[in-house]
Amino acid sequence: SYFETVLSARGGSQHNIAWSRKVMRDEKGERKWEAWIGIDVTERKRIEMALQQSEMKNSTILHAVPDLLFRINGEGRYIDSLANNGAMHGVPVEKVPGKMIHEVMPLSAAKKAIECIERVLTTNKPQLFEYRMPVSPKKGSDERDFEARMVVSGENEVLTIVRDITERRQAERSLQQAKEELELRVQERTAELQKANTVLKTEIKERHEAEERRQTAEEKYRRIFESAPLMYLITRHQDGKPRIIDCNQQFLSTTGYEFDEIVDHSLEEFYSEKSRSRLKEGGYEQTLHGDFFDEERELIASDGMKIRTLLHALPDYDEDGNPVGTRAMYVNITRREEAEAALRESIEQYRNIFETVGDGLVLTDLSGNVVDANPAACRIFGYTKDELIERSKKKGSFLAYYERAAQLV
C-alpha cells in the first residue's frame, strides 16, 4: 500500500513523506513481518506546487489576453488553439486545429503567413506581419485588421499570436487624416501668413518711406521755421488760453527772450494791455474757428519795449481734424511805421516850401500834363491851379506851351 504523511522532524521542520508497505513472508509463505519504506518527497511536493501555480497563472493570463494563440507546424497546419473563444474568418478557434492555414485565412493572408513561418524556422527570430480580412466568409462582411507575431515554440513548430488591431489602425488612419488636414491647414495658413507678411513688409516699407518723407519735410519745415524773416509762434489751446509750445529764432532775437522763457507760457504774458484785451475779447477763438483776419498786435520785449507787429494767425489741427491751437506769424512793423512818419514829415516840409516860395513851380507828369502848381505859378499865368491842370489837358501839355514861349523869347 502507499500513502503520504507530513512528518515533524527534530527541530520543528516539516517534511512530506511518502510511505509504502511491503509484507515479508517465510519459506512457507506465511506473513512473518512488514517492511515500511519512507521517502522524503518534500522537494518534489514544492516543485509540483510551483508548477501547479505556474500553470494556473499561465491559464489565467491566456484567458485574460484578448489575443488568439495558435501552434502551427512548418507545413502550415494548425496543431492546437490556446484560446477558448473567438473565431478566425468565421471558424471557431476550437475547430481550427487540424486545418491548413489556407482553409482558415484568405489566400493572400495565408501566403504571407507561410512565408513568415519559413523565416521564423530558418532564422529562429521572431517575425511579424499584418493582414486584412473579413470577419466571416459571407459576401459584404466587414473587414478588420490583424497583426500576427510568430516565434519558434518547438521542433518544426511556431507559436502565433493574432491580435485584432482594427481600432488601432482606424485611430492611425484617423490620425493620419487629421495630420494631412492639419498639414493642409498649416500650408493654407502659411500661405496666408506669407501673403500677410508680404503685405506687412510692403506696409512697413511704405511707412518707412513715409516716415523718411515726414522727417525730411519736418527738417525742411524746421529750417524754414527757424530761418523765416518773421516771428513765428505755435500755441495749444489749454484751459481756455493759448499756451506757447514752440517759437523760431526770429521771435527770440526780436523780443530778447530765451527759449525756456517763452515755451510753456501763456501768449498773453507777451502782449501789451491793449493786445491782451483784444485776445480775451475773442481774437483767439476766432482763429481756432478759422475766422481770424490780420490785425496789429503789440509784443512786450524782455527789456519792456513795445514791438508793433502785424499778426496773421491760422488754426492748427490734430489728426482727426479738430482745432487744437494756432500758428501765429508776426511781422515787425515798428521800423516801417517810423519810416512812414519820417516820410510824412518830409512831405509836409516840402509842401510848406512849395507853397511859400516866391518862384513859380509847376509839376507835370511824364506826358507834360500839369498835376500841381504853387501860388506863385498861378499868379504868373493868371489861372488857378485847377484851371492850369484843366487847360493842360485841353490845350496841350505844359511842356509844349513852355517850348512855344521859349521860341517867342
Side-chain angles (χ1 to χ4, degrees):
S1 62
Y2 176 89
F3 63 96
E4 294 182 5
T5 61
V6 177
L7 177 66
S8 297
R10 179 180 294 180
S13 60
Q14 301 287 323
H15 295 271
N16 294 93
I17 306 299
W19 296 97
S20 60
R21 185 183 65 175
K22 186 174 180 61
V23 177
M24 308 297 293
R25 298 178 184 276
D26 56 15
E27 61 275 7
K28 295 180 180 180
E30 295 180 355
R31 296 175 60 178
K32 191 173 183 180
W33 65 80
E34 293 181 350
W36 292 87
I37 304 171
I39 301 174
D40 191 339
V41 295
T42 303
E43 182 63 19
R44 189 193 71 188
K45 283 291 184 181
R46 186 188 67 77
I47 294 173
E48 289 177 352
M49 182 64 67
L51 180 60
Q52 183 179 4
Q53 290 177 351
S54 177
E55 289 178 348
M56 290 178 61
K57 181 179 180 179
N58 292 336
S59 177
T60 301
I61 293 174
L62 288 175
H63 284 80
V65 296
D67 304 330
L68 302 177
L69 289 83
F70 300 97
R71 291 168 54 211
I72 306 175
N73 63 20
E75 288 73 36
R77 185 180 297 279
Y78 289 95
I79 301 174
D80 191 12
S81 167
L82 303 182
N84 57 4
N85 54 23
M88 283 289 290
H89 196 48
V91 180
V93 293
E94 64 271 12
K95 295 183 179 180
V96 169
K99 295 181 178 295
M100 297 297 291
I101 288 180
H102 64 268
E103 295 178 310
V104 177
M105 301 174 65
L107 291 178
S108 59
K111 183 178 179 181
K112 288 183 179 181
I114 293 297
E115 293 174 352
C116 195
I117 290 172
E118 292 175 354
R119 286 196 299 272
V120 170
L121 296 176
T122 302
T123 64
N124 198 29
K125 292 181 180 180
Q127 299 291 324
L128 180 146
F129 74 97
E130 295 179 5
Y131 59 94
R132 186 175 177 83
M133 60 180 289
V135 295
S136 71
K138 295 181 180 179
K139 186 176 181 180
S141 176
D142 293 337
E143 291 190 344
R144 299 187 69 83
D145 295 289
F146 295 91
E147 176 188 85
R149 294 176 180 269
M150 294 183 176
V151 295
V152 175
S153 60
E155 182 70 23
N156 196 34
E157 177 184 308
V158 297
L159 174 65
T160 304
I161 304 172
V162 179
R163 175 171 294 181
D164 189 335
I165 59 171
T166 303
E167 293 181 359
R168 189 180 79 186
R169 282 289 174 262
Q170 289 175 346
E172 290 175 351
R173 285 191 286 269
S174 298
L175 182 61
Q176 181 63 28
Q177 182 179 357
K179 180 182 177 182
E180 292 174 355
E181 292 176 354
L182 179 60
E183 289 178 349
L184 179 60
R185 288 197 295 269
V186 168
Q187 292 176 358
E188 293 174 350
R189 184 57 178 163
T190 301
E192 292 176 358
L193 290 176
Q194 289 176 344
K195 182 178 179 181
N197 188 44
T198 301
V199 173
L200 181 59
K201 286 182 177 179
T202 302
E203 290 180 356
I204 291 174
K205 181 180 179 181
E206 291 175 351
R207 289 182 182 179
H208 182 68
E209 292 174 349
E211 180 65 18
E212 288 182 346
R213 290 194 298 269
R214 184 190 66 80
Q215 290 179 356
T216 302
E218 285 187 355
E219 291 173 359
K220 182 178 180 181
Y221 159 76
R222 194 69 195 180
R223 288 194 298 269
I224 296 173
F225 180 79
E226 290 295 344
S227 61
L230 47 78
M231 294 176 282
Y232 206 123
L233 280 181
I234 301 176
T235 70
R236 284 293 176 267
H237 188 58
Q238 296 180 4
D239 302 326
K241 296 181 180 181
R243 188 166 295 276
I244 301 170
I245 64 168
D246 200 0
C247 69
N248 68 349
Q249 185 60 41
Q250 185 67 27
F251 190 92
L252 297 176
S253 60
T254 302
T255 60
Y257 292 103
E258 297 293 334
F259 185 79
D260 293 340
E261 295 176 311
I262 296 290
V263 173
D264 205 30
H265 286 262
S266 176
L267 178 60
E268 64 183 47
E269 296 179 27
F270 305 96
Y271 273 6
S272 66
E273 186 63 32
K274 180 180 177 182
S275 296
R276 190 179 301 126
S277 298
R278 182 67 188 93
L279 178 70
K280 293 180 179 179
E281 289 171 0
Y284 186 68
E285 293 295 332
Q286 287 180 338
T287 304
L288 287 176
H289 292 87
D291 299 331
F292 187 81
F293 50 89
D294 295 347
E295 285 188 354
E296 290 189 10
R297 290 288 187 269
E298 284 185 338
L299 296 174
I300 305 300
S302 60
D303 58 3
M305 293 287 293
K306 291 183 179 180
I307 304 173
R308 298 191 64 183
T309 66
L310 181 63
L311 168 63
H312 179 74
L314 298 171
D316 201 10
Y317 301 96
D318 62 13
E319 294 179 354
D320 297 325
N322 301 313
V324 293
T326 63
R327 292 178 178 269
M329 292 163 282
Y330 298 87
V331 178
N332 189 348
I333 61 175
T334 304
R335 293 180 180 178
R336 187 188 73 183
E337 291 193 348
E338 292 174 352
E340 289 176 351
L343 179 59
R344 286 194 299 269
E345 183 180 354
S346 177
I347 292 173
E348 186 65 26
Q349 291 175 356
Y350 160 76
R351 196 68 193 176
N352 290 335
I353 296 172
F354 183 79
E355 294 291 338
T356 59
V357 71
D359 298 328
L361 296 176
V362 178
L363 296 179
T364 68
D365 60 18
L366 295 179
S367 299
N369 297 316
V370 176
V371 296
D372 201 359
N374 69 349
C378 292
R379 287 195 301 271
I380 293 172
F381 291 104
Y383 296 102
T384 64
K385 182 175 68 174
D386 293 337
E387 289 174 335
L388 285 174
I389 293 174
E390 187 64 26
R391 284 179 66 83
S392 71
K393 292 180 180 178
K394 294 180 179 180
K395 301 296 183 178
S397 68
F398 179 79
L399 179 61
Y401 171 79
Y402 177 79
E403 289 176 347
R404 288 197 299 273
Q407 290 175 1
L408 291 176
V409 174

